[in-house]
Amino acid sequence: MSEHIDNLQHEIRRFPPSPEFAAQALATPELYARASADPEAFWAEQARELLHWDTDFTRTLDWTNAPFAKWFADGRLNVAYNCLDRHVEAGNGERVAFHWEGEPGDSRTITYAELTAEVKRAANMLTDLGIRSGDRVAVYLPMIPEAVVTMLAVARIGAVHSVIFGGFSADSIRSRVDDADAKLIITADGGWRKGRVAPLKPTVDAALAKEGEHSVGTVLVVRRGENEIDWVDGRDRWWHDEMAKADAEHTAQPFEAEQPLYILYTSGTTGKPKGILHTSGGYLTQAAFTHRYVFDLKPETDVFWCTADVGWVTGHSYVVYGPLANGATQVLYEGTPDTPHPGRWWELIEKYKVSIFYTAPTAIRSFMKVGRQVPDGFDLSSIRVLGSVGEPINPEAWVWYRDVIGAGTAPIVDTWWQTETGAIMVSALAGVTTTKPGSAQVAVPGISVDVLSDSGEHVGNGNGGLLVVSRPWPAMLRGIWGDPERFIETYWEKFDTPGTKNRRMYFAGDGARLDDDGDIWLLGRVDDVMNVSGHRLSTAEIESALVSHPIVAEAAVVGATDEATGQAVVAFVILRSDQEDAQTPEEANGILRAHVAEQIGAIARPRHVYIVTELPKTRSGKIMRRLLRDVAEGRTVGDTTTLADTSVMQIISDKLTGGV
Ligand code: 6R9
């Protein structure tokens, strides 16, 4: 990490917004002053300006039971109404909500009026299937319009969705369904990926076939892949059949601002994923606010494309809730960026005249590798704002993004936030901020962050430390589903000073540095959470998957720097003694990589599983992952003095350099 800090310290390029852009920008420097004068009043104003409330709220923030926050608690609203009906009622029903493009080239244009009609029908369908306010609905769908319709229909009736990324395994589905006690799963037969149909329903079948009772009464299946699937009578139903039966009319009922909206599972430092809980009014306020002002969204003229899958938080906040609350026109794309040709994304930007484009550094780096001749072959002149999210963006990728995709003029907003924060927290504002390649820069208006030393002191400009959020914020997580203790321990205990209950600091788990201007540079996770292609993976979760295989005795996993994916999963495994000669290290590597993919999902598949005879441990038995990371990244191994057996690292290094 120190090398990384040094490189960043030499980054002196600055990109002020052009006068023309600044002149038309929605955000102004004055926004910061207004927000910091009274953050609560500022958020109350945004909530009223950006959303429709059936009942206005009288109190903005209730922090008396910190860290359990309530925002706008006595206000009432319907999230789906805010994303749909009100735009139609305002005369914008003919505006396109989504230009949807399937991977094989089929497409659908869906207006706000059409989307509203579908969500109304789907809301009735869910009610007919017995779903009531507060019930949990699991969603395992490809990037098809029905994914958005499902989320909004669930929200419309006050139920709670839990979207599970389509790349997750049967085991991962089952543990999430069990944890959330989901009554219904909505899936598809399959979806298109890399030129083929990737089956989904069979994975749901396998999840529910696992041992033990489960809470799921119905599996609702969208027909998309047209692949052959098994059918469980009495449990499985076709989406199109149920939709055809459902009533078209549906009036949205208001719910309390703190009505749970969704649970989204994310990796933590232990093996068990955390069910991050988000609620309605505060979440929607901040999602809409940030979407509007960070990206300078003009809903009448812009075409917004966030490439994230709805299985991740970025898809929740910047494909579904923020953009739809703002009445934006979007692109939704089912498939992979390079199918059927490496210019597919650029082709879509040209086709739909995308003006605001939001993606992840890992994607940008993979395009860089292929070369600029691919995007140069398309007309990208519609682009006026570029966004980045998911991991720190290296200055080279930043500058390439601006030059090649943004014609050397589009402002880049590098947005730092998390599943837990619900919406963007630290970012430049397009048209206001003079940007610096590689820095997320400043808290958005109304948000307070700080960088603290381990003992809780502000580090001061020019120094590194830990990123905290120093005031409650509207889109903050309201807890970890079913585990209030873990919520407090994970985020609120590190910097809690006894007796200062109302000033608790949220510990984000990221390292950060303040430069001489006080701008924030994110340095990556400080815990055992890895970031692979912008996706969070826990070392503990992958280790526990590895040791569940009968040939494994012990496992240690680290995230090693990787040019394409930011970090890559690298595992070190000790085989059971009776297994040592049963397979070659290369065979074991193959078996165990496949096993992790099957247990958790393909995104967690290690780049390599090294077979070793020892793992570096402290005298108290803690695995020293730092040393393994040194080996995995090809560095000289750091300080080994705290190891119980100092020769272990030599043995491991020799083994690796001598080939596996
Ligand atoms: C939105 C999202 C959160 C973690 C976060 C941090 C990393 C996200 C970043 C960034 C540097 C950025 N992260 N955006 N690091 N610069 N612009 O990605 O949520 O999947 O929960 O991941 O991702 O480490 O803590 P999530």
Side-chain angles (χ1 to χ4, degrees), residues 34-54:
R34 205 148 49 95
S36 60
D38 188 345
E40 281 183 41
F42 175 78
W43 285 120
E45 190 184 305
Q46 294 306 327
R48 293 190 176 106
E49 201 173 296
L50 297 170
L51 305 183
H52 170 84
W53 296 83
D54 293 87

Side-chain angles (χ1 to χ4, degrees), residues 94-401:
E94 294 315 304
R95 184 184 295 165
V96 173
F98 287 105
H99 295 289
W100 177 75
E101 184 96 0
E103 196 188 74
D106 48 340
S107 65
R108 240 182 105 185
T109 299
I110 306 165
T111 64
Y112 272 93
E114 289 163 345
L115 190 63
T116 305
E118 268 198 53
V119 170
K120 285 182 174 179
R121 207 181 263 282
N124 286 324
M125 166 177 72
L126 293 176
T127 307
D128 295 346
L129 290 171
I131 302 302
R132 299 287 174 267
S133 155
D135 287 346
R136 274 80 60 203
V137 175
V139 181
Y140 189 68
L141 282 169
M143 286 287 281
I144 54 177
E146 286 81 358
V148 180
V149 172
T150 293
M151 290 163 75
L152 292 169
V154 169
R156 191 176 182 91
I157 61 171
V160 183
H161 55 72
S162 175
V163 183
I164 303 165
F165 174 61
F168 277 120
S169 66
D171 275 312
S172 298
I173 295 173
R174 180 60 185 267
S175 65
R176 285 157 173 77
V177 163
D178 285 350
D179 188 74
D181 244 329
K183 276 176 117 168
L184 167 71
I185 302 186
I186 305 184
T187 187
D189 46 2
W192 285 88
R193 272 191 76 74
K194 300 187 182 153
R196 292 182 279 120
V197 171
L200 291 166
K201 165 81 161 50
T203 313
V204 171
D205 290 339
L208 297 183
K210 291 191 184 289
E211 232 173 277
E213 271 182 47
H214 61 74
S215 47
V216 176
T218 307
V219 176
L220 195 58
V221 188
V222 179
R223 183 138 69 201
R224 168 62 186 154
E226 304 194 4
N227 44 315
E228 190 101 10
I229 51 171
D230 291 338
W231 204 253
V232 178
D233 284 324
R235 185 195 75 181
D236 299 348
R237 293 164 189 253
W238 283 111
W239 168 283
H240 54 264
D241 287 342
E242 300 305 311
M243 280 288 268
K245 282 190 252 167
D247 200 338
E249 269 321 305
H250 187 276
T251 308
Q253 302 300 323
F255 294 95
E256 288 178 0
E258 287 295 342
Q259 176 80 12
L261 178 61
Y262 67 82
I263 303 168
L264 186 58
Y265 287 83
T266 189
S267 297
T269 51
T270 68
K272 189 172 179 262
K274 303 175 281 198
I276 302 301
L277 174 68
H278 283 291
T279 60
S280 302
Y283 171 79
L284 197 62
T285 299
Q286 195 180 330
F289 170 79
T290 50
H291 179 247
R292 196 179 182 93
Y293 289 98
V294 169
F295 297 103
D296 189 45
L297 176 88
K298 313 283 179 11
E300 302 78 19
T301 47
D302 275 315
V303 177
F304 179 76
W305 184 15
C306 166
T307 64
D309 192 283
V310 291
W312 307 108
V313 75
T314 307
H316 282 60
S317 300
Y318 300 103
V319 174
V320 182
Y321 293 110
L324 294 177
N326 287 333
T329 295
Q330 299 185 79
V331 168
L332 188 71
Y333 171 55
E334 177 186 34
T336 43
D338 52 358
T339 308
H341 60 80
R344 187 68 192 274
W345 274 11
W346 320 123
E347 180 184 66
L348 291 177
I349 290 177
E350 177 181 295
K351 178 173 176 186
Y352 295 113
K353 299 194 168 41
V354 171
S355 57
I356 309 176
F357 183 61
Y358 190 28
T359 194
T362 182
I364 299 164
R365 285 194 300 269
S366 70
F367 291 125
M368 266 174 93
K369 212 154 78 188
V370 182
R372 69 173 295 161
Q373 71 283 355
V374 177
D376 280 352
F378 296 89
D379 177 7
L380 307 181
S381 61
S382 53
I383 287 185
R384 61 181 203 93
V385 178
L386 294 171
S388 175
V389 62
E391 56 177 318
I393 178 165
N394 47 310
E396 293 64 42
W398 195 103
V399 170
W400 188 91
Y401 194 28

